[in-house]
Amino acid sequence: MPGNFIDVATIWVHGGKGGDGCVSFHREKFVAAGGPDGGDGGRGGSIVFVADDNLSTLMDFRYKRKYTAPDGENGRGARQKGRDAEDLVIRVPRGTVLKEAESGLVVADLSGDEPVVVAKGGRGGWGNARFATPTRQIPKFAKPGLPGEELHLTLELKVIADVGLIGFPNVGKSTLISVISAAKPKIANYHFTTLTPVLGVVRVGPEQSFVCADIPGLIEGAAEGVGLGHDFLRHVERCRLLLHVVDVSGCEGRDPKQDFEQINHELEGFSAELATRPQIVLGNKCDIAAPEQVEEFRQYIEARGLTFLPISAATRQGIDGLPALVWQRLSQLPPVKVYEAQYVRPDLSNQPKRPFTAQRTGEHEFSVDAPWLERILAGTNVEDYESLQYFQTQLGDSGILDELVRLGVEENDTIKIGEYEFDYVY
């Protein structure tokens, strides 16, 4: 991508882990053995995206690719809940589309003002005060906090403009947008002078205006990645109306009809939907074209049911009525395209059993491979009988206990789960 204009980036985001619940018992003077009073852990921070009109490129994401929200605070004694973590707010240019990197499905379209939560922070774990019952009065275990969601994202900036100027390089698009708006693009008489999309606001009346984008020149093969056009075709996708600028004079030795057909071919190769977008064809440089050339091209375009307008951006010929014509046409078209979310996060809560493998490793030894179970075990005091019983209840709910029984586990046999080891009890 030329210069400092970056419109595609890939990043990894991770919500913060929830704080662990606390194992604590009430202690004060003259109270020999108070009840459990461990507080819950705080919620982990979420990853939140916000559209920012002060940004125009994804340059910041070229240098930083990993974003992790802070973790929640652990619970404390005296039923003190851990503090929730602050969300991590990531600001992107308005019009940025977030996609799940592997599938390419749309996660969110940052076109509006509403913040979008992309990766939620993990829930805080319960303190031991929540596990007290009439028959279990001194629970010595608590739940650890849950991990936050993580996502591999592709960020694509698709500029938000009502009208897109398209056409071959050096046909006068930059000159045109500088005449009809306050935009001041670089203008020179050589190909690919414009290296980044240029936005300009075109005023039609006191409360009537539209945004026009000068899309860098397309060339033959752009849809297949040739030249600069392929990099910027995505910026035309939101445009409701296309102003197709053609050098009707053929001063560079090109055929205006062939140019017109080639650009439309590239649009169709990139997106079938884009090829059907309404167009107004502008025959530029008509001040140096023969009247016969202009008339012949007019008949060619109008035979295809399109509106043709002869102009000269350099001398302002035919320019004065262009904004009103475009505004009138826009008023008949639907609003700027917003991409609907397609990506659906996997819902692990609906899965009756999480994956695991269990096997006998010795005469009285068994091992269980279940990484998700190690997190639960981290909050369990395996030296405490009640705590171990509670954990084994969770083993039964997951189906692991049934598998161990099938393998012949007996009381006091050793069970290994990751780095943890404990004796099986009925």
Side-chain angles (χ1 to χ4, degrees):
M1 188 65 64
N4 292 328
F5 183 78
I6 305 296
D7 58 358
V8 177
T10 300
I11 63 173
W12 178 82
V13 296
H14 197 304
K17 173 185 172 296
D20 296 336
C22 175
V23 176
S24 172
F25 295 91
H26 181 65
R27 294 291 182 267
E28 65 175 295
K29 193 175 182 180
F30 306 122
V31 177
D37 66 353
D40 300 340
R43 178 188 59 79
S46 299
I47 301 289
V48 181
F49 279 81
V50 176
D52 189 336
D53 291 321
N54 294 317
L55 299 175
S56 59
T57 173
L58 300 176
M59 170 64 81
D60 293 345
F61 301 98
R62 166 179 276 189
Y63 305 107
K64 184 177 180 182
R65 307 248 177 182
K66 293 185 177 181
Y67 295 81
T68 303
D71 297 337
E73 188 181 40
N74 294 337
R76 299 185 295 275
R79 297 181 183 269
Q80 297 181 70
K81 181 181 180 297
R83 187 165 53 247
D84 292 340
E86 295 287 335
D87 293 336
L88 176 60
V89 178
I90 301 177
R91 300 186 179 277
V92 295
R94 189 177 300 277
T96 301
V97 178
L98 311 180
K99 295 183 178 180
E100 200 275 325
E102 185 174 346
S103 65
L105 296 176
V106 175
V107 176
D109 184 350
L110 275 299
S111 297
D113 296 321
E114 288 297 318
V116 177
V117 178
V118 171
K120 294 181 180 179
R123 190 184 67 237
W126 285 357
N128 69 333
R130 286 183 177 265
F131 295 98
T133 67
T135 57
R136 185 172 59 215
Q137 298 182 5
I138 50 172
K140 297 178 181 178
F141 56 92
K143 279 191 174 182
L146 296 178
E149 295 178 340
E150 61 178 287
L151 209 55
H152 201 199
L153 291 174
T154 297
L155 281 59
E156 289 187 5
L157 174 58
K158 300 176 186 286
V159 297
I160 299 179
D162 299 289
V163 178
L165 293 178
I166 60 172
F168 269 85
N170 215 29
V171 295
K173 300 189 303 298
S174 296
T175 303
L176 177 60
I177 197 171
S178 70
V179 170
I180 64 176
S181 75
K184 300 299 179 187
K186 181 180 179 182
I187 300 173
N189 189 29
Y190 58 85
H191 288 188
F192 300 121
T193 308
T194 303
L195 297 179
T196 64
V198 176
L199 296 180
V201 178
V202 181
R203 303 288 180 186
V204 182
E207 297 182 359
Q208 298 174 336
S209 65
F210 59 87
V211 178
C212 186
D214 174 11
I215 308 300
L218 306 179
I219 63 174
E220 185 175 354
E224 286 74 46
V226 179
L228 298 177
H230 178 265
D231 292 328
F232 299 108
L233 274 169
R234 68 174 61 88
H235 297 295
V236 194
E237 289 187 89
R238 291 191 193 269
C239 296
R240 299 191 285 156
L241 178 67
L242 301 179
L243 295 184
H244 193 154
V245 184
V246 180
D247 178 2
V248 75
S249 72
C251 62
E252 294 192 354
R254 294 204 307 265
D255 181 4
K257 299 177 185 177
Q258 186 177 347
D259 283 2
F260 173 80
E261 294 295 345
Q262 187 60 50
I263 292 295
N264 282 309
H265 176 72
E266 297 305 327
L267 292 178
E268 186 175 2
F270 182 77
S271 167
E273 180 187 359
L274 196 56
T276 62
R277 205 62 52 86
Q279 290 188 20
I280 294 177
V281 181
L282 304 179
N284 194 25
K285 303 185 182 180
C286 66
D287 56 319
I288 59 175
E292 296 81 14
Q293 289 178 296
V294 177
E295 186 58 31
E296 182 184 358
F297 190 65
R298 176 198 296 276
Q299 294 177 9
Y300 175 79
I301 294 301
E302 292 181 347
R304 281 157 177 73
L306 298 175
T307 301
F308 175 75
L309 188 66
I311 66 167
S312 171
T315 64
R316 294 193 61 92
Q317 179 181 340
I319 295 295
D320 292 340
L322 180 59
L325 173 63
V326 172
W327 174 261
Q328 186 269 336
R329 188 68 59 87
L330 286 174
S331 65
Q332 303 170 1
L333 297 175
V336 173
K337 179 177 181 179
V338 176
Y339 293 85
E340 298 294 332
Q342 302 167 319
Y343 178 73
V344 179
R345 295 180 180 85
D347 187 2
L348 298 179
S349 63
N350 291 332
Q351 299 180 4
K353 296 181 181 179
R354 296 178 180 178
F356 68 88
T357 56
Q359 59 182 345
R360 180 191 287 271
T361 56
E363 185 177 354
H364 296 288
E365 291 184 354
F366 297 81
S367 70
V368 176
D369 182 17
W372 55 268
L373 188 61
E374 295 179 36
R375 177 177 52 80
I376 299 175
L377 190 54
T380 302
N381 181 3
V382 296
E383 303 298 328
D384 177 67
Y385 180 80
E386 285 187 341
S387 180
L388 194 56
Q389 274 194 323
Y390 178 78
F391 175 69
Q392 290 190 173
T393 299
Q394 297 180 78
L395 285 182
D397 293 342
S398 66
I400 294 177
L401 201 55
D402 292 339
E403 180 64 15
L404 290 172
V405 171
R406 189 188 69 79
L407 294 173
V409 69
E410 297 179 352
E411 189 167 8
N412 295 325
D413 283 354
T414 300
I415 299 176
K416 295 181 178 179
I417 301 177
E419 300 177 354
Y420 301 94
E421 183 177 304
F422 59 93
D423 294 335
Y424 171 73
V425 294
Y426 287 118

